[in-house]
Amino acid sequence: MKKIYRLLLVIIATTFFSPTLVPARTLNEDAAINLLLQTLERDHVYAKRISLNCVTFDTEDTTRTYFEIALREKHDAKCGGDPDTNPVIDRYRVNRASGRIELYDLPDDRWQDYKPARIK
């Protein structure tokens, strides 16, 4: 009888504490933007084009699955440019659950995997 109780206890414990059954923690908007910024800094994607101090992140779409974020030029006294405009440099999609980053390919009108070499 004790073996049956132990077996039941093991089954219940693995059911409740199994990593495959515990819902994954998902990113909120701030965490998604921070992940994107850290990734772009780490990969030096825009190092030869624009300082990341002169960009803004604009969340354009939010779903249960992802955030679509536009990387825009910041135009002010420090960064230069027309302060009435903030052109889009690139658009990214950050998956809430996995943190996977995609880049919008404008000419082909599709999302593609983030690969820093394609952007530089």
Side-chain angles (χ1 to χ4, degrees), residues 83-103:
D84 293 328
T85 65
N86 295 86
V88 173
I89 300 169
D90 281 314
R91 285 187 165 85
Y92 291 92
R93 183 183 279 173
V94 180
N95 185 289
R96 286 176 177 258
S98 68
R100 179 174 171 242
I101 299 173
E102 295 176 293
L103 172 69

Side-chain angles (χ1 to χ4, degrees), residues 14-47:
T14 54
T15 300
F16 283 110
F17 299 109
S18 171
T20 59
L21 297 177
V22 175
R25 185 171 177 199
T26 60
L27 297 173
N28 64 25
E29 183 176 354
D30 289 337
I33 290 171
N34 286 332
L35 174 65
L36 179 58
L37 174 60
Q38 290 172 1
T39 302
L40 297 176
E41 286 175 335
R42 179 197 68 209
D43 295 338
H44 307 285
V45 172
Y46 297 100

Side-chain angles (χ1 to χ4, degrees), residues 5 9-13 17 40 50-51 54 56 58 60 72 78 81 90 92-93 99 102-103 105:
Y5 287 121
L9 184 60
V10 169
I11 291 170
I12 291 169
F17 299 109
L40 297 176
I50 189 169
S51 166
C54 290
T56 61
D58 180 22
E60 295 182 322
R72 294 180 176 275
K78 178 184 170 191
D90 281 314
Y92 291 92
R93 183 183 279 173
E102 295 176 293
L103 172 69
D105 181 3

